[in-house]
PDB file of all heavy atoms in Angstrom:
ATOM      1  N   ALA F 238      52.172 -67.354 -67.229  1.00 50.00           N
ATOM      2  CA  ALA F 238      53.681 -67.489 -66.897  1.00 50.00           C
ATOM      3  C   ALA F 238      53.945 -68.664 -66.093  1.00 50.00           C
ATOM      4  O   ALA F 238      54.997 -69.442 -66.230  1.00 50.00           O
ATOM      5  CB  ALA F 238      54.170 -66.097 -66.347  1.00 50.00           C
ATOM      6  N   MET F 239      53.110 -68.968 -65.075  1.00 54.00           N
ATOM      7  CA  MET F 239      53.213 -70.126 -64.125  1.00 54.00           C
ATOM      8  C   MET F 239      53.098 -71.454 -64.982  1.00 54.00           C
ATOM      9  O   MET F 239      54.037 -72.374 -64.729  1.00 54.00           O
ATOM     10  CB  MET F 239      52.203 -70.100 -63.063  1.00 54.00           C
ATOM     11  CG  MET F 239      52.303 -71.180 -62.051  1.00 54.00           C
ATOM     12  SD  MET F 239      51.009 -71.062 -60.827  1.00 54.00           S
ATOM     13  CE  MET F 239      49.544 -71.574 -61.853  1.00 54.00           C
ATOM     14  N   TYR F 240      52.258 -71.464 -65.734  1.00 46.00           N
ATOM     15  CA  TYR F 240      51.864 -72.701 -66.463  1.00 46.00           C
ATOM     16  C   TYR F 240      53.164 -72.994 -67.539  1.00 46.00           C
ATOM     17  O   TYR F 240      53.523 -74.101 -67.744  1.00 46.00           O
ATOM     18  CB  TYR F 240      50.686 -72.680 -67.154  1.00 46.00           C
ATOM     19  CG  TYR F 240      49.545 -73.009 -66.135  1.00 46.00           C
ATOM     20  CD1 TYR F 240      48.551 -72.085 -65.941  1.00 46.00           C
ATOM     21  CD2 TYR F 240      49.309 -74.121 -65.386  1.00 46.00           C
ATOM     22  CE1 TYR F 240      47.439 -72.195 -65.089  1.00 46.00           C
ATOM     23  CE2 TYR F 240      48.399 -74.405 -64.451  1.00 46.00           C
ATOM     24  CZ  TYR F 240      47.451 -73.324 -64.270  1.00 46.00           C
ATOM     25  OH  TYR F 240      46.556 -73.515 -63.369  1.00 46.00           O
ATOM     26  N   PHE F 241      53.532 -71.906 -68.141  1.00 44.00           N
ATOM     27  CA  PHE F 241      54.712 -72.040 -69.056  1.00 44.00           C
ATOM     28  C   PHE F 241      55.915 -72.492 -68.394  1.00 44.00           C
ATOM     29  O   PHE F 241      56.619 -73.405 -68.873  1.00 44.00           O
ATOM     30  CB  PHE F 241      55.066 -70.582 -69.682  1.00 44.00           C
ATOM     31  CG  PHE F 241      56.150 -70.567 -70.658  1.00 44.00           C
ATOM     32  CD1 PHE F 241      55.937 -71.114 -71.892  1.00 44.00           C
ATOM     33  CD2 PHE F 241      57.379 -70.238 -70.320  1.00 44.00           C
ATOM     34  CE1 PHE F 241      56.962 -71.178 -72.939  1.00 44.00           C
ATOM     35  CE2 PHE F 241      58.369 -70.342 -71.257  1.00 44.00           C
ATOM     36  CZ  PHE F 241      58.161 -70.790 -72.569  1.00 44.00           C
ATOM     37  N   ALA F 242      56.061 -71.994 -67.184  1.00 51.00           N
ATOM     38  CA  ALA F 242      57.320 -72.386 -66.381  1.00 51.00           C
ATOM     39  C   ALA F 242      57.175 -73.835 -65.982  1.00 51.00           C
ATOM     40  O   ALA F 242      58.155 -74.745 -66.108  1.00 51.00           O
ATOM     41  CB  ALA F 242      57.387 -71.717 -65.018  1.00 51.00           C
ATOM     42  N   LYS F 243      56.034 -74.304 -65.668  1.00 52.00           N
ATOM     43  CA  LYS F 243      55.808 -75.754 -65.335  1.00 52.00           C
ATOM     44  C   LYS F 243      56.123 -76.644 -66.546  1.00 52.00           C
ATOM     45  O   LYS F 243      56.694 -77.758 -66.462  1.00 52.00           O
ATOM     46  CB  LYS F 243      54.350 -76.066 -64.822  1.00 52.00           C
ATOM     47  CG  LYS F 243      54.222 -75.568 -63.395  1.00 52.00           C
ATOM     48  CD  LYS F 243      52.773 -75.809 -62.929  1.00 52.00           C
ATOM     49  CE  LYS F 243      52.554 -75.374 -61.494  1.00 52.00           C
ATOM     50  NZ  LYS F 243      51.262 -75.702 -61.022  1.00 52.00           N
ATOM     51  N   HIS F 244      55.519 -76.311 -67.705  1.00 45.00           N
ATOM     52  CA  HIS F 244      55.692 -77.121 -68.877  1.00 45.00           C
ATOM     53  C   HIS F 244      57.002 -77.060 -69.529  1.00 45.00           C
ATOM     54  O   HIS F 244      57.363 -78.034 -70.221  1.00 45.00           O
ATOM     55  CB  HIS F 244      54.610 -76.648 -69.849  1.00 45.00           C
ATOM     56  CG  HIS F 244      53.266 -77.019 -69.503  1.00 45.00           C
ATOM     57  ND1 HIS F 244      52.757 -78.373 -69.161  1.00 45.00           N
ATOM     58  CD2 HIS F 244      52.081 -76.231 -69.314  1.00 45.00           C
ATOM     59  CE1 HIS F 244      51.553 -78.333 -68.952  1.00 45.00           C
ATOM     60  NE2 HIS F 244      51.032 -77.022 -69.030  1.00 45.00           N
ATOM     61  N   THR F 245      57.840 -76.173 -69.151  1.00 45.00           N
ATOM     62  CA  THR F 245      59.175 -76.162 -69.660  1.00 45.00           C
ATOM     63  C   THR F 245      60.291 -76.522 -68.734  1.00 45.00           C
ATOM     64  O   THR F 245      61.444 -76.237 -68.874  1.00 45.00           O
ATOM     65  CB  THR F 245      59.386 -74.668 -70.254  1.00 45.00           C
ATOM     66  OG1 THR F 245      59.276 -73.747 -69.212  1.00 45.00           O
ATOM     67  CG2 THR F 245      58.694 -74.337 -71.486  1.00 45.00           C
ATOM     68  N   GLY F 246      59.914 -77.280 -67.587  1.00 49.00           N
ATOM     69  CA  GLY F 246      60.864 -77.789 -66.820  1.00 49.00           C
ATOM     70  C   GLY F 246      60.900 -77.410 -65.350  1.00 49.00           C
ATOM     71  O   GLY F 246      61.673 -77.842 -64.608  1.00 49.00           O
TER      72      GLY F 246
END
Side-chain angles (χ1 to χ4, degrees):
M239 179 183 69
Y240 288 118
F241 180 81
K243 287 183 177 180
H244 289 303
T245 53

